[in-house]
Amino acid sequence: MNRRIKILYSILLVASGIMQAQDKSDGELAKATQNPLAAMISLPFQNNTSYNIGPHKRAQNILNIQPVIPASISEKYNLINRVIAPIITQPSSFEDNSTSGLGDINYTAWVSPKKAGKIIPGIGPVFQLPTASSKSLGSKEFGIGPSIVALSMIDKWVGGIVVNNIWTFGDVSENKFLFQYFVNYNLPKAWYLVSGPIITANWNATESNKWIVPFGGGAGKVFRIGKQPININAHLYYNAVRPDGWAKVQSRLQVQFLFPTKKS
């Protein structure tokens, strides 16, 4: 083996080692993004579109800007702060047009143990803030309720649930339930498969219009632009149970900027 071939071989070995290390790091980040209680700052932009709503068959679009900021509150516990600020385009039920603006902001504060067991729990309050720019985009009422998270991470699998219920106490009385289960299977090179439908119920609606129950899933990947890690995923869901006139199909596209600490 001449000198040039030896040098080229050495370069390939080093590059291979760097790529393997990078893949492992991104793979760990992929699993962290699937954990709502991960002690990692992130900034997700989640776009949800529901198609063919109402008599004019218009689309509703909700862009959720939802920063997650963990904070240490003791030697044993973290406080996971999550804000969801929805930018909504809401089609009119009576005219062939839409209204756009800010909806009511949700803030959740989960207390979670720093040391992970077989089941990782989180519990805390969820608040609805009356920030909607118009009545068609939210109730503009203050609300509060409990929120629970539980998940498990086994080998390549990450699965769990998020549950909350919000009550409002102003001129508009709301009683809203949310249940999300999520199942992720992690693949090589930081790819993963995901199903994370968001099931909701409006307890004040008539029996046939209470629930939205979607089924479906998608795929995602963690990659880097320069040194910045980014998580991106895309989903498609079919609403098997839905109110009258509501969408049969909804899509979700999320781009999440990750800011791991040196320990992550």
Side-chain angles (χ1 to χ4, degrees):
M1 185 181 293
N2 62 36
R3 185 178 178 183
R4 289 183 179 179
I5 294 177
K6 287 182 179 179
I7 293 173
L8 179 59
Y9 182 69
S10 299
I11 291 172
L12 289 173
L13 283 177
V14 172
S16 174
I18 292 172
M19 288 176 67
Q20 289 177 4
Q22 184 72 63
D23 181 51
K24 181 180 179 181
S25 175
D26 288 353
E28 291 172 349
L29 282 176
K31 291 188 76 172
T33 65
Q34 299 155 19
N35 176 4
L37 301 174
M40 176 177 65
I41 296 173
S42 68
L43 179 58
F45 295 85
Q46 185 188 98
N47 195 79
N48 299 274
T49 306
S50 298
Y51 300 93
N52 297 323
I53 295 173
H56 301 287
K57 305 299 182 183
R58 302 292 297 278
Q60 180 205 60
N61 195 81
I62 302 177
L63 172 62
N64 287 325
I65 303 170
Q66 43 189 60
V68 178
I69 304 174
S72 176
I73 56 174
S74 73
E75 292 183 359
K76 295 184 177 181
Y77 294 97
N78 285 324
L79 181 67
I80 309 298
N81 301 279
R82 185 179 73 170
V83 176
I84 300 179
I87 308 299
I88 304 172
T89 298
Q90 179 67 40
S92 172
S93 300
F94 307 103
E95 300 175 351
D96 189 13
N97 59 24
S98 301
T99 302
S100 297
L102 177 65
D104 292 323
I105 291 175
N106 279 15
Y107 164 62
T108 306
W110 289 307
V111 176
S112 176
K114 293 181 178 179
K115 187 176 181 181
K118 292 182 178 180
I119 303 295
I120 306 171
I123 188 169
V126 56
F127 300 93
Q128 176 177 290
L129 307 180
T131 56
S133 54
S134 76
K135 285 288 188 180
S136 62
L137 303 177
S139 67
K140 303 181 74 171
E141 299 286 357
F142 177 80
I144 190 171
S147 183
I148 298 171
V149 181
L151 68 134
S152 184
M153 307 175 78
I154 302 173
D155 297 327
K156 296 180 180 180
W157 293 91
V158 179
I161 59 170
V162 177
V163 185
N164 70 46
N165 202 97
I166 295 176
W167 292 268
T168 62
F169 306 97
D171 295 333
V172 180
S173 178
E174 293 182 292
N175 184 359
K176 302 182 295 186
F177 174 76
L178 181 147
F179 177 86
Q180 180 180 22
Y181 66 85
F182 53 92
V183 180
N184 299 268
Y185 182 74
N186 288 280
L187 302 166
K189 300 186 184 300
W191 284 92
Y192 58 90
L193 302 176
V194 55
S195 180
I198 299 173
I199 299 168
T200 58
N202 176 3
W203 299 121
N204 294 335
T206 60
E207 193 63 35
S208 62
N209 292 308
K210 273 185 168 62
W211 292 91
I212 299 176
V213 182
F215 291 95
K221 178 177 173 55
V222 170
F223 63 99
R224 294 174 188 256
I225 297 178
K227 295 183 178 180
Q228 176 62 55
I230 298 172
N231 174 42
I232 185 168
N233 54 63
H235 311 232
L236 188 65
Y237 294 98
Y238 174 75
N239 293 323
V241 180
R242 57 191 181 274
D244 296 338
W246 191 249
K248 291 183 180 180
V249 176
Q250 57 177 280
S251 63
R252 184 187 309 161
L253 176 64
Q254 177 171 285
V255 178
Q256 180 182 16
F257 295 88
L258 310 174
F259 304 96
T261 62
K262 291 182 180 180
K263 293 182 181 181
S264 296

